[in-house]
Structure formats: C-alpha cells, structure tokens
Amino acid sequence: RKEKSTSWFLSKMVKKLYCYDVGKFFAKAIKDFGIFELVYDSNPHEGIPAVTWKLKKDATYEGKKVEFDLYQLSDVLRERGWLLPAYSLPANCQEIIVQRVLIRHGCSYDLMELLLKDIKRSIHKLQHIKITKIDDGCTCNSCCSKGSFNHS
C-alpha cells in the first residue's frame, strides 16, 4: 500500500513540474516576441503554472509601432478558436490590461507551440490592418465596452 501511495505522489509531482516547465517555455516565447512584458512567468516558487503578460509601452513589431491592444489580440485569437481573454486588473491597477494562460495537465509543448504560432499570425494580422477605435463615451457596459471581465 505504501508503494502505491509513493508512486501516486511521485506521478503527481512529475505532472506538476511538467506544467511549470511548459509554462516556462511559453513565458520565454511570449517574451521573445519583443512586444510583451511578463507579469508572471510560471515560477513554481511564486505561484501556479500560468503565464501573464501585458503589452510594452511604445512597443514595435517588425519595425512598426504596435497600434492594437490585448482586447483586439484576444478577438483575433478567438477567431482561430483560442479563448485567451484580455482583462484589466482590479482597483488601483485597472489601467493595466493583461492576458493569461493557465497551464493545466494535458497542456503540452506541442499545444503551446500551436498557440504561439497563432499569436504570431494574429499579431501579423493586426499589424497589417487598419484598426478603427470607437469611443463615443458609451458606458452601457455590454455592447460597447471593451473587455471580457470586470472586477467591479
């Protein structure tokens, strides 16, 4: 009975460490785009296997100023089947917009590579289309407001 519980525990630990490794891989790749600043990088000593990032101020991609925001990136990724919501942080930090990926059991390097390729395609698409921002002062908090999540 003790052997079974020890092997079960070791199996859980290996899976958990694998999630952090995949998260570290993903965090490095996100940082390598050059337009994102990591907020959290899947450090096992600081939290859960996840990666959180925001757009750098005055970011450039392929020599061109980044004109899109993470809400728009989220929308383009959704067109490709990914649900990567962008949202503002809670009170006192609400001007900071982030995206986050949670690395769960079953998330593999291959899956993260597919996501990274789609992020690259989405950035390229957003960099090459004219984006019109609508801001008519509407505060209806449904059809016109940006974002997928509200902490209030």
Side-chain angles (χ1 to χ4, degrees):
R1 192 169 203 116
K2 186 175 182 180
E3 285 179 19
K4 186 176 182 181
S5 65
T6 302
S7 82
W8 175 84
F9 175 75
L10 289 174
S11 170
K12 286 294 225 185
M13 290 307 295
V14 167
K15 287 178 183 174
K16 185 175 180 181
L17 291 174
Y18 180 79
C19 291
Y20 283 105
D21 289 344
V22 171
K24 286 289 197 186
F25 163 78
F26 187 80
K28 181 186 178 321
I30 284 291
K31 187 175 181 182
D32 288 348
F33 279 113
I35 63 172
F36 301 118
E37 181 181 331
L38 290 175
V39 175
Y40 178 70
D41 67 352
S42 194
N43 184 331
H45 302 293
E46 295 178 0
I48 62 174
V51 180
T52 306
W53 64 92
K54 62 182 181 177
L55 272 174
K56 287 182 179 177
K57 289 184 188 237
D58 302 320
T60 60
Y61 187 77
E62 297 177 342
K64 192 174 164 189
K65 185 178 186 300
V66 171
E67 298 285 344
F68 61 88
D69 59 28
L70 291 179
Y71 294 114
Q72 292 160 327
L73 179 58
S74 177
D75 289 343
V76 174
L77 286 167
R78 189 173 294 118
E79 291 171 8
R80 298 197 54 84
W82 298 100
L83 297 177
L84 242 69
Y87 54 92
S88 63
L89 294 180
N92 299 327
C93 297
Q94 64 267 19
E95 70 283 349
I96 300 172
I97 310 303
V98 298
Q99 277 186 302
R100 179 180 67 178
V101 169
L102 298 174
I103 313 297
R104 300 177 54 174
H105 297 296
C107 284
S108 65
Y109 286 97
D110 290 341
L111 182 64
M112 294 297 101
E113 284 179 348
L114 289 172
L115 174 55
L116 289 163
K117 285 178 183 176
D118 279 340
I119 290 172
K120 185 174 184 173
R121 282 186 194 108
S122 299
I123 291 169
H124 183 79
K125 178 179 180 177
L126 288 165
Q127 281 293 92
H128 292 89
I129 62 172
K130 178 149 177 66
I131 298 170
T132 306
K133 294 188 179 186
I134 300 171
D135 185 13
D136 62 358
C138 179
T139 57
C140 73
N141 215 13
S142 61
C143 66
C144 302
S145 64
K146 285 178 156 182
S148 318
F149 187 80
N150 184 340
H151 284 283
S152 56

